Amino acid sequence: MDDLFDSAIELEQSHIQQGARDGKRDGMRTGLAEGRALGLQKGYEIGMEVGHYAGCVRMWRALQQQQPGSIPTKLERSIAAMEECLLQYPLYKPQDEELHELLEQLRGKYKTVLAGLGLSAADYGSSSSSSAAGGSGSGSSSGAAAASGGQQPVSLAF
Amino acid sequence: MATLAHSLEPLQTLEGHTDRVWHLAWSPDGTSLASCSGDRTVRIWQQSRIEGRGWRCAAVLEDTHTKSIRCCCWSPGGTHLATASFDGTTAIWQLQGGIWEEISKLEGHENEVKAVAWSPCGNFLATCGRDKSVWFWERGLGDEYDCMDVKHGHSQDVKSIAWHPSRELLASCSYDNSIKLWANDEADWVCVQTLEGAAVGHSSTVWSVAFSRDGRKLASVSDDCTLRVWSVEWSEGCPPEPHCSLAACISGHHSRCIFTVDWSAQGLIATGDGANSIKLFGQPSLLETAAAAAAAAAAGSDPAANSSSGYIQQAADAAAEPGTPQPAGEQPAPAQQQNGELYDAAAAAAAAAAGDAAAAWECLCSVQQAHDADVNCVRWHPSRQGLLASAGDDGLVKLWQYKGLGQAAAQQ
């Protein structure tokens, strides 16, 4: 008699276990897909931002060479600090702990330079994701900055 | 000496602003009070030279900011005033020939600037805002202020900032529930500590932070209705590094969000909250000791002979503090010192600090309906004992006089 009921209870148990296995399998599948999509999006955003800063630094250096005196000397420290950060930036190590800290440092130095030049982020068509005012600022991008940042191959070498 | 009741008595109500008053600042020499408002002006109040006439509006600073002025701050020399506005800019004003003029405008924040503070040395200005950043500005040639560094450590709106009274250390507090400490590393500012986390940090927006006048403590108030006191210690390195640890969490006194906090010279804490009230907090055992010491000094014992023993008495008082508050008026006989040895200054100071941290905090008095709406700012006068100013959403600035234990001992 016990055996009869045991198999009925076991049936329910086995269904529960089967359901759990199916759920885990399907969950992992969708989780992986979601994670991939999120990673792609975040990676793109970070790449955009870092690339924007790299482009700006390159432009400032070019300006300094072609028109000496156009960039105030007091900004040298901040621009050099940005170059340091960019050289070290772990673009290809998504799990590097310093990823976000370095990005924040870049953001800070970038704003410091802009303030020193008497400009605002909107003037530079900032792609910075930190701007609370959001994407509307990036609409009015200055031609030079957009050209140097967007069309050249990704190379942070200086 | 009997323990007196603590009270906060209204002295005067200053009317003039046509919108909520956000912030107050006493000039370093104590002769002027600046208040800033949603009506986009700053009013400078001064005491009338005619006896009994009280304070009146001596100047109105207007036509500069296009939105509410959220915060104002005097330079350490009292010659300049900085105003932070919701229009995203910070203006620097100077008194020239009796007239306040705007001499500089600091731009850079992406949206509302919530606070501005001048460092005690006068060389740095710090601002913070809704764009989650803290900006450090350095005084350059003439009246130029150059942006030194922009820090993005906070993850939300930064509500307020406060400088340490004697070191280059800034505390910032935020909607992200944390308090961050920033120190200078050559020309870079680095976050040296973040006060947050379960059981230690606040559990909601931290609205205001304030260092005590001696720089040994930091107070913070929050939407979680608690007032926290942190002790500030410095490591032995070169340069010395700061570290804060929670010394006291005072809860159960406020029913609404606490917006503002300020330390008096005697170590009292004033708070203003969303329940329209102003409350004063102190450590009664320490206040009694201080009053007893002051009374002993005032009693006029022979200064030459007893100067060193007087010091020992005070050191013994302080050292005996933890857990054994001396009854007011009694002084411990020298025989009570351990082994009759003299306490050296370092030991006495350390014991005093330990006593400070351990002594219990109490709400000394509470004024309900101090304003008809939220109390946005409370500020103690820099030198006149017990004079407190408050500002509220009702558009009024009020002056109050604190009377308590300390008043009886120290005659003004």
Side-chain angles (χ1 to χ4, degrees), chain A residues 53-114:
Chain A
Y53 298 145
C56 286
V57 169
R58 184 175 291 172
M59 178 201 40
W60 291 325
R61 287 304 190 203
L63 252 183
Q64 269 177 328
Q65 277 193 332
Q66 290 170 19
Q67 291 173 29
S70 51
I71 310 276
T73 42
K74 66 187 177 188
L75 298 177
E76 181 54 41
R77 258 201 68 257
S78 298
I79 296 177
M82 280 181 80
E83 281 172 330
E84 259 304 306
C85 270
L86 287 165
L87 281 172
Q88 290 176 22
Y89 202 83
L91 266 183
Y92 300 103
K93 294 189 214 148
Q95 297 198 324
D96 190 320
E97 283 169 3
E98 298 215 313
L99 206 72
H100 290 289
E101 231 184 80
L102 278 175
L103 190 56
E104 276 182 1
Q105 239 174 288
L106 272 171
R107 228 174 253 161
K109 291 295 164 198
Y110 173 70
K111 288 201 178 157
T112 307
V113 175
L114 284 190

Coordinates of all heavy atoms in Angstrom, one line a residue, chain A residues 53-114:
Chain A
Y53 N 36.6 61.5 -25.4 CA 37.7 62.2 -24.7 C 39.0 62.1 -25.4 O 39.8 63.0 -25.5 CB 37.8 61.6 -23.3 CG 36.6 61.8 -22.4 CD1 36.2 60.8 -21.5 CD2 35.8 62.9 -22.5 CE1 35.1 60.9 -20.7 CE2 34.6 63.0 -21.8 CZ 34.3 62.1 -20.9 OH 33.2 62.2 -20.1
A54 N 39.3 60.9 -26.0 CA 40.5 60.7 -26.8 C 40.5 61.7 -27.9 O 41.6 62.3 -28.2 CB 40.6 59.3 -27.3
G55 N 39.4 61.8 -28.6 CA 39.3 62.7 -29.8 C 39.6 64.2 -29.3 O 40.3 64.9 -30.0
C56 N 39.0 64.6 -28.2 CA 39.1 65.9 -27.7 C 40.6 66.2 -27.4 O 41.2 67.2 -27.8 CB 38.3 66.2 -26.5 SG 36.5 66.3 -26.8
V57 N 41.2 65.3 -26.7 CA 42.6 65.4 -26.3 C 43.5 65.6 -27.6 O 44.4 66.5 -27.7 CB 43.1 64.3 -25.4 CG1 44.6 64.3 -25.3 CG2 42.5 64.3 -24.1
R58 N 43.2 64.7 -28.5 CA 44.0 64.8 -29.8 C 43.9 66.2 -30.4 O 44.8 66.8 -30.9 CB 43.6 63.7 -30.7 CG 44.4 63.6 -32.0 CD 44.0 62.5 -32.9 NE 44.4 61.2 -32.2 CZ 44.1 60.0 -32.7 NH1 43.3 59.9 -33.8 NH2 44.5 58.9 -32.1
M59 N 42.6 66.7 -30.5 CA 42.4 68.0 -31.1 C 43.1 69.1 -30.3 O 43.7 70.0 -30.9 CB 40.9 68.2 -31.1 CG 40.6 69.6 -31.7 SD 39.0 70.3 -31.3 CE 38.8 69.9 -29.6
W60 N 43.0 69.0 -29.0 CA 43.7 70.1 -28.2 C 45.2 70.1 -28.5 O 45.8 71.1 -28.6 CB 43.4 69.9 -26.7 CG 42.0 70.2 -26.3 CD1 41.1 71.1 -26.9 CD2 41.2 69.5 -25.3 NE1 39.9 71.0 -26.3 CE2 39.9 70.1 -25.3 CE3 41.5 68.4 -24.4 CZ2 38.9 69.6 -24.5 CZ3 40.5 68.0 -23.6 CH2 39.2 68.6 -23.6
R61 N 45.8 68.9 -28.6 CA 47.2 68.8 -28.8 C 47.5 69.4 -30.2 O 48.5 70.1 -30.4 CB 47.7 67.4 -28.7 CG 47.7 66.8 -27.3 CD 48.6 67.7 -26.4 NE 48.8 67.0 -25.1 CZ 49.2 67.7 -24.0 NH1 49.3 69.0 -24.1 NH2 49.4 67.1 -22.9
A62 N 46.7 69.1 -31.2 CA 46.9 69.6 -32.5 C 46.8 71.1 -32.5 O 47.6 71.8 -33.1 CB 45.9 69.0 -33.5
L63 N 45.8 71.6 -31.8 CA 45.6 73.1 -31.7 C 46.8 73.7 -31.1 O 47.3 74.8 -31.5 CB 44.4 73.4 -30.8 CG 43.1 73.9 -31.4 CD1 42.1 74.2 -30.4 CD2 43.4 75.1 -32.3
Q64 N 47.4 73.1 -30.0 CA 48.5 73.6 -29.3 C 49.7 73.8 -30.3 O 50.5 74.7 -30.3 CB 48.9 72.7 -28.2 CG 48.3 73.1 -26.9 CD 48.7 72.2 -25.7 OE1 48.9 71.0 -26.0 NE2 48.8 72.7 -24.5
Q65 N 49.9 72.7 -31.2 CA 51.0 72.8 -32.1 C 50.8 73.8 -33.2 O 51.7 74.6 -33.5 CB 51.1 71.4 -32.8 CG 51.9 70.4 -32.0 CD 52.3 69.2 -32.8 OE1 51.6 68.8 -33.7 NE2 53.3 68.6 -32.4
Q66 N 49.6 73.9 -33.7 CA 49.3 74.8 -34.8 C 49.1 76.2 -34.4 O 49.5 77.1 -35.1 CB 48.1 74.3 -35.6 CG 48.3 73.0 -36.4 CD 47.0 72.5 -36.9 OE1 46.0 73.2 -37.0 NE2 46.9 71.2 -37.2
Q67 N 48.5 76.4 -33.3 CA 48.3 77.8 -32.8 C 48.8 77.9 -31.3 O 48.0 77.8 -30.4 CB 46.8 78.1 -32.8 CG 46.3 78.3 -34.2 CD 44.8 78.5 -34.2 OE1 44.2 79.0 -33.2 NE2 44.1 78.0 -35.2
P68 N 50.1 78.0 -31.2 CA 50.6 78.1 -29.8 C 49.9 79.2 -29.0 O 49.7 80.3 -29.5 CB 52.1 78.4 -30.0 CG 52.4 78.1 -31.4 CD 51.1 78.3 -32.2
G69 N 49.6 78.9 -27.8 CA 48.9 79.9 -27.0 C 47.4 79.8 -27.0 O 46.7 80.5 -26.2
S70 N 46.9 79.0 -27.8 CA 45.4 78.9 -27.9 C 44.8 78.1 -26.7 O 43.7 78.3 -26.3 CB 45.0 78.2 -29.2 OG 45.7 77.0 -29.4
I71 N 45.6 77.2 -26.2 CA 45.2 76.5 -25.0 C 46.0 77.0 -23.8 O 47.2 77.0 -23.8 CB 45.5 75.0 -25.1 CG1 45.0 74.4 -26.4 CG2 45.0 74.2 -23.9 CD1 43.5 74.0 -26.4
P72 N 45.3 77.6 -22.8 CA 46.0 78.1 -21.6 C 46.9 77.1 -20.9 O 46.5 75.9 -20.8 CB 44.9 78.5 -20.7 CG 43.7 78.5 -21.5 CD 43.9 77.6 -22.6
T73 N 48.1 77.5 -20.5 CA 49.1 76.6 -19.9 C 48.6 76.0 -18.6 O 49.0 74.9 -18.2 CB 50.4 77.3 -19.6 OG1 50.1 78.6 -19.0 CG2 51.2 77.5 -20.8
K74 N 47.7 76.7 -17.9 CA 47.2 76.1 -16.6 C 46.4 74.8 -16.9 O 46.2 74.0 -15.9 CB 46.3 77.1 -15.9 CG 45.0 77.4 -16.7 CD 44.2 78.5 -16.0 CE 43.0 78.8 -16.9 NZ 42.2 80.0 -16.5
L75 N 46.0 74.5 -18.1 CA 45.2 73.3 -18.4 C 46.1 72.1 -18.7 O 45.6 71.0 -18.9 CB 44.3 73.6 -19.6 CG 43.2 74.6 -19.3 CD1 42.4 74.8 -20.6 CD2 42.3 74.2 -18.2
E76 N 47.4 72.4 -18.8 CA 48.4 71.3 -19.2 C 48.3 70.1 -18.3 O 48.2 69.0 -18.7 CB 49.8 71.9 -19.2 CG 50.9 70.9 -19.6 CD 50.6 70.3 -20.9 OE1 50.1 71.0 -21.9 OE2 50.8 69.0 -21.0
R77 N 48.2 70.4 -17.0 CA 48.1 69.3 -16.0 C 46.9 68.4 -16.2 O 47.0 67.2 -16.3 CB 48.0 69.9 -14.6 CG 49.2 69.9 -13.8 CD 48.9 70.0 -12.3 NE 48.3 68.8 -11.8 CZ 47.0 68.8 -11.5 NH1 46.2 69.8 -11.7 NH2 46.4 67.6 -11.0
S78 N 45.8 69.1 -16.5 CA 44.5 68.3 -16.7 C 44.6 67.5 -18.0 O 44.2 66.3 -18.0 CB 43.3 69.2 -16.6 OG 43.2 69.8 -15.4
I79 N 45.1 68.1 -19.0 CA 45.1 67.4 -20.3 C 46.1 66.3 -20.2 O 45.8 65.1 -20.7 CB 45.5 68.4 -21.5 CG1 44.5 69.5 -21.6 CG2 45.7 67.6 -22.8 CD1 44.8 70.5 -22.7
A80 N 47.2 66.5 -19.6 CA 48.2 65.4 -19.4 C 47.6 64.3 -18.6 O 47.9 63.1 -18.8 CB 49.5 65.9 -18.7
A81 N 46.9 64.6 -17.5 CA 46.2 63.6 -16.7 C 45.2 62.8 -17.5 O 45.1 61.5 -17.4 CB 45.5 64.2 -15.5
M82 N 44.5 63.4 -18.5 CA 43.6 62.7 -19.3 C 44.4 61.7 -20.2 O 43.9 60.6 -20.4 CB 42.8 63.7 -20.2 CG 41.7 64.3 -19.5 SD 40.7 65.5 -20.5 CE 39.7 64.3 -21.4
E83 N 45.5 62.2 -20.7 CA 46.3 61.3 -21.6 C 46.7 60.1 -20.8 O 46.7 58.9 -21.4 CB 47.5 62.1 -22.1 CG 47.2 63.0 -23.3 CD 48.4 63.9 -23.7 OE1 49.2 64.2 -22.8 OE2 48.5 64.2 -24.8
E84 N 47.2 60.3 -19.6 CA 47.6 59.2 -18.7 C 46.4 58.1 -18.6 O 46.6 56.9 -18.8 CB 47.9 59.7 -17.3 CG 49.4 59.8 -17.0 CD 50.1 58.6 -17.2 OE1 49.8 57.5 -16.6 OE2 51.1 58.6 -18.0
C85 N 45.3 58.7 -18.3 CA 44.1 57.8 -18.1 C 43.8 57.0 -19.3 O 43.4 55.9 -19.3 CB 42.9 58.7 -17.7 SG 42.7 59.0 -16.0
L86 N 43.8 57.7 -20.5 CA 43.4 57.1 -21.7 C 44.4 56.0 -22.1 O 44.0 55.0 -22.6 CB 43.4 58.2 -22.8 CG 42.2 59.2 -22.7 CD1 42.4 60.4 -23.6 CD2 40.9 58.4 -23.1
L87 N 45.7 56.2 -21.9 CA 46.7 55.2 -22.2 C 46.4 54.0 -21.3 O 46.6 52.8 -21.8 CB 48.1 55.7 -21.9 CG 48.6 56.6 -23.0 CD1 49.9 57.3 -22.6 CD2 48.8 55.8 -24.3
Q88 N 46.0 54.2 -20.1 CA 45.8 53.0 -19.2 C 44.5 52.4 -19.3 O 44.2 51.4 -18.7 CB 45.9 53.5 -17.7 CG 47.3 53.9 -17.3 CD 47.2 54.4 -15.8 OE1 46.3 54.1 -15.1 NE2 48.2 55.3 -15.5
Y89 N 43.6 53.0 -20.1 CA 42.2 52.6 -20.0 C 42.0 51.2 -20.5 O 42.3 50.8 -21.6 CB 41.3 53.6 -20.8 CG 39.9 53.4 -20.3 CD1 39.5 54.2 -19.1 CD2 39.0 52.6 -20.8 CE1 38.2 54.0 -18.6 CE2 37.7 52.4 -20.3 CZ 37.3 53.1 -19.2 OH 36.1 53.0 -18.6
P90 N 41.4 50.3 -19.6 CA 41.3 48.9 -19.9 C 40.1 48.6 -20.8 O 39.1 48.0 -20.5 CB 41.0 48.3 -18.5 CG 40.4 49.3 -17.7 CD 40.9 50.6 -18.2
L91 N 40.1 49.1 -22.1 CA 39.0 49.0 -23.0 C 38.7 47.5 -23.3 O 37.5 47.2 -23.6 CB 39.4 49.7 -24.4 CG 39.0 51.1 -24.6 CD1 39.3 51.5 -26.0 CD2 37.5 51.3 -24.4
Y92 N 39.7 46.7 -23.2 CA 39.4 45.3 -23.6 C 39.4 44.4 -22.3 O 39.5 43.1 -22.5 CB 40.4 44.8 -24.6 CG 40.4 45.7 -25.8 CD1 41.3 46.7 -26.1 CD2 39.3 45.5 -26.7 CE1 41.2 47.5 -27.2 CE2 39.2 46.3 -27.8 CZ 40.1 47.3 -28.1 OH 40.0 48.1 -29.2
K93 N 39.2 44.9 -21.2 CA 39.1 44.1 -19.9 C 37.8 44.5 -19.2 O 37.9 45.3 -18.2 CB 40.3 44.4 -19.0 CG 41.6 43.9 -19.6 CD 42.7 44.0 -18.5 CE 44.1 44.3 -19.2 NZ 44.9 45.1 -18.3
P94 N 36.7 44.0 -19.6 CA 35.4 44.5 -19.0 C 35.3 44.2 -17.6 O 34.5 44.8 -16.9 CB 34.4 43.7 -19.8 CG 35.1 42.6 -20.5 CD 36.5 43.0 -20.7
Q95 N 36.1 43.3 -17.0 CA 35.9 43.0 -15.6 C 37.0 43.7 -14.7 O 37.1 43.5 -13.5 CB 36.0 41.5 -15.3 CG 34.8 40.8 -16.1 CD 34.6 39.5 -15.5 OE1 35.6 38.8 -15.1 NE2 33.4 39.1 -15.4
D96 N 37.7 44.6 -15.4 CA 38.7 45.4 -14.6 C 38.0 46.3 -13.6 O 37.1 47.0 -13.9 CB 39.6 46.2 -15.6 CG 40.8 46.8 -14.9 OD1 40.7 47.3 -13.8 OD2 41.8 46.9 -15.6
E97 N 38.5 46.2 -12.4 CA 37.8 47.0 -11.3 C 37.9 48.5 -11.5 O 37.1 49.2 -11.0 CB 38.4 46.6 -10.0 CG 38.0 45.3 -9.4 CD 38.8 44.9 -8.2 OE1 39.7 45.6 -7.8 OE2 38.6 43.7 -7.8
E98 N 39.0 48.9 -12.2 CA 39.2 50.3 -12.4 C 38.4 51.0 -13.5 O 38.5 52.2 -13.7 CB 40.7 50.6 -12.6 CG 41.5 50.1 -11.4 CD 42.7 51.0 -11.2 OE1 43.4 51.4 -12.2 OE2 42.9 51.4 -10.1
L99 N 37.6 50.2 -14.2 CA 36.9 50.6 -15.4 C 36.1 51.9 -15.1 O 36.2 52.9 -15.8 CB 35.9 49.5 -15.8 CG 35.5 49.5 -17.3 CD1 36.7 49.1 -18.1 CD2 34.4 48.6 -17.5
H100 N 35.3 51.8 -14.0 CA 34.4 53.0 -13.7 C 35.1 54.1 -13.1 O 34.8 55.3 -13.3 CB 33.2 52.5 -12.9 CG 32.3 51.6 -13.6 ND1 31.5 52.1 -14.6 CD2 32.1 50.3 -13.6 CE1 30.8 51.1 -15.1 NE2 31.1 50.0 -14.5
E101 N 36.1 53.8 -12.2 CA 36.8 54.9 -11.5 C 37.6 55.7 -12.5 O 37.6 56.9 -12.4 CB 37.8 54.2 -10.5 CG 37.7 54.8 -9.2 CD 38.8 54.2 -8.3 OE1 40.0 54.7 -8.4 OE2 38.5 53.3 -7.5
L102 N 38.3 55.0 -13.5 CA 39.0 55.8 -14.5 C 38.1 56.6 -15.4 O 38.5 57.7 -15.8 CB 39.8 54.8 -15.3 CG 41.2 54.3 -14.7 CD1 41.8 53.3 -15.6 CD2 42.1 55.5 -14.5
L103 N 36.9 56.0 -15.7 CA 36.0 56.8 -16.5 C 35.6 58.1 -15.7 O 35.5 59.1 -16.3 CB 34.8 55.9 -16.8 CG 33.8 56.5 -17.8 CD1 34.5 56.8 -19.1 CD2 32.7 55.5 -18.1
E104 N 35.3 57.9 -14.4 CA 34.9 59.1 -13.6 C 36.0 60.1 -13.6 O 35.8 61.3 -13.6 CB 34.6 58.7 -12.2 CG 33.1 58.2 -12.1 CD 32.8 57.8 -10.7 OE1 33.6 57.9 -9.7 OE2 31.6 57.4 -10.5
Q105 N 37.3 59.6 -13.5 CA 38.4 60.5 -13.5 C 38.5 61.3 -14.8 O 38.7 62.5 -14.8 CB 39.7 59.7 -13.3 CG 40.5 60.1 -12.1 CD 41.7 59.2 -11.9 OE1 41.5 58.0 -11.5 NE2 42.8 59.7 -12.1
L106 N 38.3 60.6 -15.9 CA 38.3 61.2 -17.2 C 37.3 62.3 -17.3 O 37.5 63.4 -17.8 CB 38.1 60.2 -18.3 CG 39.3 59.4 -18.8 CD1 38.9 58.3 -19.7 CD2 40.2 60.4 -19.6
R107 N 36.1 61.9 -16.8 CA 35.0 62.8 -16.9 C 35.3 64.1 -16.1 O 35.0 65.2 -16.6 CB 33.8 62.2 -16.2 CG 32.5 62.2 -16.9 CD 31.4 61.4 -16.2 NE 31.1 60.2 -16.9 CZ 30.5 59.1 -16.4 NH1 30.2 59.2 -15.1 NH2 30.3 58.1 -17.1
G108 N 35.9 63.9 -14.9 CA 36.2 65.1 -14.1 C 37.2 66.0 -14.7 O 37.1 67.2 -14.8
K109 N 38.3 65.4 -15.3 CA 39.4 66.2 -15.9 C 38.8 66.9 -17.1 O 39.2 68.0 -17.4 CB 40.5 65.3 -16.3 CG 41.3 64.7 -15.1 CD 42.0 65.8 -14.4 CE 42.4 65.4 -13.0 NZ 42.7 66.5 -12.1
Y110 N 38.0 66.2 -17.9 CA 37.4 66.7 -19.1 C 36.6 68.0 -18.8 O 36.8 69.0 -19.4 CB 36.5 65.7 -19.7 CG 35.7 66.1 -20.9 CD1 36.3 66.5 -22.1 CD2 34.3 66.2 -20.8 CE1 35.5 66.9 -23.2 CE2 33.5 66.6 -21.9 CZ 34.1 66.9 -23.1 OH 33.4 67.3 -24.2
K111 N 35.8 67.9 -17.7 CA 35.0 69.1 -17.3 C 35.9 70.2 -16.8 O 35.6 71.4 -17.0 CB 34.0 68.7 -16.2 CG 32.9 67.8 -16.7 CD 31.7 67.9 -15.8 CE 30.6 67.1 -16.4 NZ 29.6 66.6 -15.4
T112 N 37.0 69.8 -16.2 CA 37.9 70.8 -15.7 C 38.5 71.6 -16.8 O 38.6 72.8 -16.8 CB 39.1 70.2 -14.9 OG1 38.5 69.4 -13.8 CG2 39.9 71.2 -14.2
V113 N 38.9 70.9 -17.9 CA 39.5 71.5 -19.1 C 38.4 72.4 -19.7 O 38.7 73.5 -20.1 CB 40.0 70.5 -20.1 CG1 40.5 71.2 -21.3 CG2 41.2 69.7 -19.5
L114 N 37.2 71.9 -19.9 CA 36.2 72.7 -20.5 C 35.9 74.0 -19.8 O 35.8 75.1 -20.4 CB 34.9 71.9 -20.6 CG 34.8 70.8 -21.7 CD1 33.4 70.3 -21.8 CD2 35.3 71.3 -23.0

